[in-house]
Amino acid sequence: MSHSDRILDSHDARIYEIRTTAPGPSGSLPVQPEELREMSSGDLFGWTQNVGMGWDPKKLLGKQFLILSTHGGLRAPDGTPVALGFHTGHWEVNLLVEEAARAFSDEGGLPFAAYVSDPCDGRTNGTAGMLDSLPYRNDAATVLRRLIRSLPTGRGVLGVATCDKGLPAMLMALAGSPDLPSVLAPGGVTLLAEDAEDTAKVQTLSTRFAREEITLEYAADMGCRACGSPGGGCQFLGTAASSQVVAEALGLALPHSALSPSGAPIWRDMARRSALALMALEKAGRTTRKLLSEESLHNAMVLHAAFGGSTNLVLHLPAFAHAAGLPRPSVDDWTRINRLVPRLVDALPNGPRHFATVQVFLAGGVPEVMLHLRQLGLLKLDAQTVTGRTVGENLEWWEGSERRQRLREKLRDLDGINADDVILSPPRAHAAGLTSTVTFLRGNLAPEGALIKSTAIAPEVIDENGLFHHVGPARVFTREAAAINAIKKGTVQPGDVVVLIGIGPAIGMPETYQITSALKYMQGGERVALITDGRFSGVSTGACVGHVSPEAWAGGPISKLRDGDTVQVRIDTRGLEGSIDVLGIDEAEFAARVIHPDLAIDARVPTDTRLWSALQNASGGPWAGCVFDADRIIGLLELGLETERNRASGHGQTGAP
């Protein structure tokens, strides 16, 4: 039989075994006369659908709980792939959904499950797929909230998520459902692969091979073996891990749930306990509105700084606050927190010893870091959490818990690592020279601001006073592909300042990890600075300045740079201030320059992303979290319509801003 014949008809006799009727579910709905008279058709039909899916009619009266996850792919019962997901981060989370669902049903509840899968930023780096990455977050949060409202009989929501955009979207959805109790079950992390590179370094194989720094055989071997286990977020403290930490710090996840090893019994146990916590919250009438507060946002920012988290959380935390109806953290708030809080965690990619996220978990994770922060008086200990207890009460349990002691011993037994070397006391962190996390910059190239993960600058290029000072010629690129090709060919040299423009919010604000990782691993790359109006992966390291505002497409000064211009990058990693400036050019002459002649909109930018860009820009842009502020957007639309009506009627424009 030819291939085309098999497409038209398989000629398998079994396909004609067809019925038009079936017995249907047995039993009857447990409905009472008065109840039936008052029920909406939707509530009644919901019961019909429940038994139609096989649920026992006698168990329909239990409380209904919704489990939302970012699960992707299709696993066979033995774990082998039937259809691949986009990444390991969502490949196993359906196992957490199953554990939670069984916990709900064991307690007499009715579990429901729904899914909004998520992309992989690692998979889309350097491709057109990255143009959808950040906009996806808002879209997914909207769909997740719609799913929550589509189960009007639901009594609470358990979110299960892991990675760079799916987890922030889930947190936005939970925060935006304030009248229901909710719990976040972090999807965990993957294990280190034995005798292999981690999932951050492995992404630089192409660049290192192009620069003749590794062999083809080495690249093929390392590329195959980087994922130590088939599930969980990456092994480094990037955006995925940072978001898990922040979820726990917000009080929306159980103590010591962030960074759990995917697939392990302790990871499954967390899902069951998260379900129990949600049922307890519902019984006590404690909704998400009663959990999220300015105090919990403060704690989240403090833990982000203490861990050395991804700069992408500067986009995400304001989005969580906006969804919850709370004041959004400002640049001044971030600066104040980062000046107060020492970095205490030694993890990939920050160092100095570069422990993996699973090792941070065994060392005690979020609650262990909180013990040190409590001693420094930096936490809001009265903030409420999903345990029904305050942060302070949770820490009292953690400090003397068997769990804490046994996992610290496990880390020593498995890897020969002292937990106190992973999570440092404040005096040890100071002695080790661990710098604070985020520095916000100004200067004549960034009059509205820029930022850098200052803790990720190579220590050897920071002087004894904590100052990074770099002056060099600009190498201006208007395409990411051109920049990475120049690095691979060796035309970018130590001392240069790579300037990548035109990748800001106007085209979706893609991250540029292939650039930052290439600079990290190329010889002499620590002496190359990078500035861009785009953003970075949380695993990025080096003197990488992003979020430069105004962006090039808004006519920002960065758009006027040319090859050979002298650029200065100055960062005080202790005082957490600095600047990026063009030097040696008259101010008026520079201002009179037109934008770079090679700057052109990428034809691959989707219409969806253009709409996202306009809506988030109207809502305050990246510094406000790239959110959709409905009141602001509607107000601007109404003002525009009024202006158009007045123009059409001959009255001219009214007071447009």
Side-chain angles (χ1 to χ4, degrees), residues 157 171 174-175 177-184 246-254 274 277-278 280-282 284-300 320 324 326 380 382-391 394:
V157 185
L171 286 171
L174 299 183
S177 305
D179 296 324
L180 285 172
S182 61
V183 175
L184 189 285
V246 162
E248 187 176 327
L250 283 169
L252 287 181
L254 289 176
S274 296
L278 182 59
L281 289 172
E282 188 278 333
R286 298 174 67 84
T287 66
T288 305
R289 189 189 308 278
K290 296 178 181 179
L291 294 179
L292 288 181
S293 63
E294 293 186 48
E295 288 73 25
S296 58
L297 283 172
H298 167 88
N299 288 342
F320 307 155
L326 296 170
K380 303 292 185 183
D382 291 333
Q384 299 295 313
T385 74
V386 293
T387 64
R389 305 177 184 182
T390 64
V391 169
N394 289 340

Side-chain angles (χ1 to χ4, degrees), residues 329-594:
S330 66
V331 169
D332 289 342
D333 293 326
W334 284 104
T335 301
R336 173 178 53 82
I337 292 292
N338 277 270
R339 283 177 175 159
L340 285 173
V341 180
R343 178 166 69 90
L344 303 177
V345 177
D346 181 347
L348 289 163
N350 301 323
R353 293 178 62 183
H354 302 97
F355 296 106
T357 44
V358 67
Q359 293 167 329
V360 177
F361 174 80
L362 292 175
V366 171
E368 191 69 22
V369 175
M370 280 185 164
L371 289 181
H372 294 300
L373 297 171
R374 181 185 65 177
Q375 183 179 5
L376 295 174
L378 293 173
L379 292 174
K380 303 292 185 183
L381 296 174
D382 291 333
Q384 299 295 313
T385 74
V386 293
T387 64
R389 305 177 184 182
T390 64
V391 169
E393 290 168 336
N394 289 340
L395 290 180
E396 289 176 9
W397 160 77
W398 172 257
E399 192 167 18
S401 69
E402 178 188 9
R403 182 186 181 99
R404 180 190 183 211
Q405 184 61 36
R406 291 190 64 175
L407 291 179
R408 289 169 63 90
E409 292 171 357
K410 181 68 72 173
L411 179 61
R412 185 184 307 110
D413 294 343
L414 288 173
D415 298 338
I417 294 172
N418 184 337
D420 293 334
D421 292 336
V422 182
I423 297 173
L424 286 70
S425 66
R428 287 194 65 196
H430 178 75
L434 273 62
T435 61
S436 294
T437 299
V438 179
T439 298
F440 291 89
L441 313 174
R442 296 281 185 174
N444 63 25
L445 290 176
E448 294 179 5
L451 61 75
I452 185 170
K453 190 175 182 180
S454 44
T455 194
I457 302 174
E460 58 266 33
V461 295
I462 299 175
D463 70 16
E464 66 277 7
N465 298 312
L467 185 67
F468 171 80
H469 186 233
H470 181 102
V471 179
R475 295 293 313 280
V476 183
F477 300 94
T478 60
R479 287 283 188 273
E480 184 183 6
I484 191 65
N485 286 338
I487 293 170
K488 288 180 176 180
K489 293 176 180 177
T491 56
V492 169
Q493 297 295 318
D496 288 346
V497 178
V498 173
V499 181
L500 181 55
I501 62 175
I503 61 167
I507 68 163
M509 207 174 187
E511 72 176 34
T512 57
Y513 180 61
Q514 68 163 342
I515 304 293
T516 58
S517 61
L519 291 175
K520 175 178 180 178
Y521 291 106
M522 71 172 259
Q523 296 173 3
E526 74 280 0
R527 292 188 287 118
V528 176
L530 168 66
I531 63 175
T532 180
D533 49 8
R535 62 185 179 87
F536 302 125
S537 164
V539 72
S540 292
T541 56
C544 306
V545 179
H547 298 222
V548 174
S549 303
E551 64 176 308
W553 284 114
I558 194 174
S559 71
K560 301 181 179 184
L561 283 173
R562 302 291 189 269
D563 274 355
D565 286 343
T566 300
V567 174
Q568 172 182 262
V569 181
R570 189 189 65 83
I571 299 159
D572 181 348
T573 63
R574 296 176 186 170
L576 300 187
E577 59 85 26
S579 62
I580 53 171
D581 299 278
V582 60
L583 304 178
I585 301 176
D586 178 75
E587 181 178 339
E589 178 186 341
F590 187 73
R593 281 185 183 178
V594 297

Side-chain angles (χ1 to χ4, degrees), residues 204-218:
T204 70
L205 289 171
S206 174
T207 296
R208 286 181 285 152
F209 179 71
R211 294 175 64 86
E212 299 181 351
E213 295 173 6
I214 58 173
T215 65
L216 178 63
E217 292 74 20
Y218 179 87

